[in-house]
Amino acid sequence: MSTPDQQDPRDPRAQQLTPEQYAEQQRRAAEAAERRRQWEAQQAAEQAAAQQAAAQQAAAQQAAAQQAAAEQAAQQQAAAQQQQAAQQQAAAQYAEEQRQLRARYQEEQRRAEEAEARRLQWQDQQRQQQAAAQQQYAQPQAPFQGGVPAQGDVGGVGHVQQQAAPEPAATSTTMTYAPAPEVGSGRPTHRALPDEPDADDDDFAEFEEEFSHAGYGLRGPRRRRHVLPKKSLGSLGVSVGDDGVVIGVDPQGMPAVLDVLRPKPIEAVIVGSMWTAQIIALRTAAIGARIAVESVRPQAWAPMAQAAGGGLQCVTVYEPRQLAAQGASVASPVLVVRDLGAQPGRSQLAPVPWQSTVTVVPFLGPRAPRLLTRADVIGLQSVSPQEAEVIGRVLRLPEQLTQTLPTLSDATMLWIAGGKHQYVMVQPTDPETGLLGGPRRMD
């Protein structure tokens, strides 16, 4: 097939062309062939360029896929490393918690053993003192001859000359007592005989007859001022002290009393458990006071509030910042117990007579120095060594006393008031134990 510009030489029409026409025709055919060759070369070049572009695109896509795969692999490796690090950290944290629990358990065991050793030592001392007292009571007594007893008499009184006190006036007579004897000293605690009898003193004759019959007990130190004539009894006045709430016993086994109901209100702070505050609240309610509790955990106070008072509502529990004026008076004193965590705010109640406040904190917070310095009475249960250093520095306690704070048992407290301190062991009664459980440091 020929193009329009090219004619076959065998065409009959070509045989009729002149040489010029034939040359022109050949030139045109050559130009057409050249154009066709260029077009084919151009098509081949375009096809090669397209193939090359497709190959480059495929290579780029493959490189992108490889890069994405590498990034995904790197992310997976980083996630695996992070997960492994988190597992190692969790394992280390668990191991540290277990170590702390073991250390705390060992510390509690050590404190319990120390407390048990102190209790056994105290019991041994009491038994020794009782044995010594029984031995002294079992010794034969010399008959009373008047004056001071002879050397060696039971009671430990030697040849000490005592002057008779002047006869007290009938209009202004007061009774004075000798200091209380020490536990286990063997000295009697009942009345004493006078130093020298008067021949015309009928009161002394009756007094001597009362003391001389069999089975009365040991004769105490003879002090004439302990004997009053009958005509002076009308003006006798006896002052009563150590009144308040019994919070436990001291190391000598004597009751320890906390006077929280006064005309002048007091501020008390307890660094310890809610259990201790509930014991004080129960015993304060037992002597006729009303208890108002402001707590962040009212559900924990509800059983005690329901059981106190024998059916009468003497304990009321309030939510934080819901405590209103209580109307305290001499006939109806009030004890406010604030259980607001380690950072209690200031009380909304104004200080009024016959209304005292006890603030209980589980541990020392940032406001501890201000709270401790403002308190009139401070009760401390076992605290950490760091807390003990803060307390010792704020209250200016002796170093030896500060070091004993972390070693206190759950039932032992250190009470501080007016620069003086006293160890007290809380001994709950059976009803208190049934309601609140045994002594504990943390609730």
Side-chain angles (χ1 to χ4, degrees):
M1 183 176 181
S2 62
T3 60
D5 297 332
Q6 183 181 4
Q7 293 183 358
D8 191 358
R10 293 174 298 176
D11 190 357
R13 291 177 298 175
Q15 297 177 1
Q16 299 177 0
L17 296 177
T18 63
E20 290 81 4
Q21 291 177 349
Y22 180 78
E24 182 65 22
Q25 186 178 4
Q26 290 296 325
R27 185 183 62 79
R28 290 179 179 177
E31 290 178 355
E34 181 64 23
R35 286 195 298 268
R36 183 177 182 85
R37 185 184 62 78
Q38 292 178 355
W39 177 80
E40 290 177 354
Q42 185 179 0
Q43 291 296 321
E46 291 178 356
Q47 186 177 3
Q51 293 177 356
Q52 184 178 2
Q56 292 177 355
Q57 185 177 3
Q61 292 178 354
Q62 184 178 2
Q66 292 178 355
Q67 184 178 0
E71 292 178 354
Q72 184 177 3
Q75 292 178 357
Q76 293 178 354
Q77 184 178 3
Q81 292 177 354
Q82 185 176 3
Q83 183 178 4
Q84 184 178 3
Q87 292 177 354
Q88 293 177 355
Q89 183 178 1
Q93 184 177 1
Y94 177 77
E96 179 65 19
E97 291 178 355
Q98 293 296 320
R99 187 191 64 78
Q100 293 179 358
L101 288 176
R102 288 194 297 269
R104 184 175 180 180
Y105 176 76
Q106 294 174 358
E107 181 68 16
E108 293 294 336
Q109 290 291 333
R110 185 183 63 80
R111 293 181 183 177
E113 292 175 358
E114 291 180 354
E116 182 67 15
R118 290 195 296 268
R119 187 182 67 84
L120 295 176
Q121 183 180 4
W122 179 76
Q123 290 181 353
D124 292 340
Q125 293 177 356
Q126 293 296 317
R127 284 195 293 266
Q128 293 175 3
Q129 293 174 357
Q130 292 177 1
Q134 292 176 0
Q135 183 178 3
Q136 291 178 354
Y137 277 102
Q139 294 179 1
Q141 305 179 24
F144 176 65
Q145 299 295 336
V148 298
Q151 181 70 22
D153 287 352
V154 176
V157 181
H159 290 286
V160 180
Q161 298 295 332
Q162 299 182 357
Q163 297 180 356
E167 186 68 25
T171 58
S172 60
T173 304
T174 59
M175 178 175 289
T176 59
Y177 290 88
E182 298 180 357
V183 177
S185 62
R187 294 181 57 189
T189 58
H190 42 264
R191 294 178 296 175
L193 290 175
D195 292 332
E196 296 292 341
D198 292 338
D200 55 350
D201 194 344
D202 296 335
D203 293 337
F204 178 78
E206 297 177 1
F207 191 62
E208 183 181 17
E209 181 180 358
E210 178 184 359
F211 270 82
S212 60
H213 66 79
Y216 186 83
L218 298 177
R219 292 191 300 273
R222 295 156 177 79
R223 301 182 184 276
R224 184 175 181 80
R225 65 175 181 272
H226 285 202
V227 180
L228 296 177
K230 293 180 180 179
K231 57 185 179 181
S232 301
L233 295 178
S235 60
L236 177 64
V238 179
S239 61
V240 179
D242 293 339
D243 54 336
V245 180
V246 178
I247 57 175
V249 295
D250 59 14
Q252 288 74 34
M254 304 300 293
V257 179
L258 178 63
D259 187 9
V260 293
L261 303 177
R262 297 182 179 181
K264 182 180 179 181
I266 65 171
E267 292 281 343
V269 173
I270 296 177
V271 182
S273 63
M274 181 182 62
W275 181 88
T276 304
Q278 289 180 337
I279 287 289
I280 296 177
L282 274 177
R283 296 181 179 182
T284 306
I287 62 176
R290 291 184 290 118
I291 312 299
V293 181
E294 182 183 8
S295 176
V296 294
R297 41 184 176 178
Q299 68 280 356
W301 287 84
M304 190 276 288
Q306 295 175 359
L312 300 177
Q313 187 177 3
C314 59
V315 179
T316 308
V317 183
Y318 298 88
E319 296 283 346
R321 299 185 178 277
Q322 301 296 324
L323 185 61
Q326 299 297 310
S329 63
V330 63
S332 181
V334 176
L335 176 65
V336 178
V337 181
R338 307 183 69 226
D339 177 26
L340 302 176
Q343 300 185 26
R346 287 187 174 273
S347 176
Q348 297 180 345
L349 300 181
V352 296
W354 299 105
Q355 177 177 294
S356 298
T357 303
V358 174
T359 303
V360 54
V361 293
F363 53 87
L364 298 183
R367 302 177 182 175
R370 179 177 58 84
L371 193 65
L372 294 177
T373 54
R374 191 179 59 187
D376 302 312
V377 181
I378 301 173
L380 303 174
Q381 286 189 277
S382 175
V383 295
S384 64
Q386 294 78 10
E387 292 175 316
E389 292 180 2
V390 175
I391 294 173
R393 182 174 64 256
V394 173
L395 301 181
R396 298 180 180 179
L397 300 179
E399 182 66 22
Q400 183 179 3
L401 188 65
T402 302
Q403 294 177 355
T404 60
L405 292 179
T407 64
L408 297 179
S409 64
D410 291 344
T412 305
M413 295 187 65
L414 176 65
W415 288 91
I416 303 172
K420 300 180 180 180
H421 61 275
Q422 176 67 59
Y423 288 103
V424 175
M425 178 175 290
V426 183
Q427 295 180 342
T429 62
D430 292 340
E432 291 172 346
T433 303
L435 177 61
L436 305 177
R440 56 185 177 272
R441 173 59 180 88
M442 299 298 295
D443 298 299

